[in-house]
Amino acid sequence: IVKSITQAHGGKAEIEFKAFANPVINDEASSLFAAKIAKNIVGEDNVITNQEKALGADDFADFQAVVPGVYAHIGSRDPQDKGTHYPHHNERFNIDDKCLLVATNFYIQYALEYLNKSN
């Protein structure tokens, strides 16, 4: 299509495709383990386990190619803030600092329970 369109306008085109990042595919056991820990921290009603698939990619997939893991999203919006919510990479994004406590607690609990389970 690209070649035909450029030829129609008197130009030339060459397509080169590179695979830049692998898809992030969470390990099922790691995901269940993470969900259990998250539910203990924020309650079952605040944990989403059936997120729709997305086309995003991340370097984390390279780690998952070697070691099973889970890529978890932790909410960062203040539900009391009536302003417009912007996504993380938007210049107007304003994180609710309380989510950092939740995230830190999650990562610490995951690591401790994983290490205790492994012993």
Side-chain angles (χ1 to χ4, degrees):
I1 293 173
V2 171
K3 286 185 179 185
S4 296
I5 291 172
T6 54
Q7 285 174 353
H9 294 280
K12 294 180 182 177
E14 191 172 309
I15 300 170
E16 183 178 324
F17 178 79
K18 294 181 181 179
F20 291 100
N22 293 320
V24 174
I25 301 172
N26 286 336
D27 173 68
E28 185 175 358
S30 299
S31 297
L32 294 171
F33 188 67
K36 180 190 88 156
I37 290 167
K39 289 173 185 177
N40 288 339
I41 295 170
V42 296
E44 189 168 353
D45 291 343
N46 296 306
V47 177
I48 299 170
T49 58
N50 61 345
Q51 183 69 31
E52 288 185 31
K53 292 180 182 178
L55 295 176
D58 193 277
D59 292 346
F60 188 74
D62 296 330
F63 295 113
Q64 288 179 314
V66 179
V67 178
V70 59
Y71 190 98
H73 293 269
I74 297 175
S76 59
R77 183 176 63 173
D78 181 354
Q80 303 304 316
D81 183 2
K82 301 302 180 196
T84 305
H85 175 65
Y86 294 96
H88 284 201
H89 297 286
N90 186 294
E91 65 185 28
R92 295 181 181 171
F93 173 72
N94 186 20
I95 193 169
D96 177 11
D97 293 339
K98 291 182 288 244
C99 80
L100 300 175
L101 295 172
V102 172
T104 302
N105 190 11
F106 172 77
Y107 295 129
I108 289 170
Q109 290 304 313
Y110 189 101
L112 290 174
E113 289 192 34
Y114 179 85
L115 293 171
N116 285 332
K117 178 178 82 162
S118 298
N119 290 332

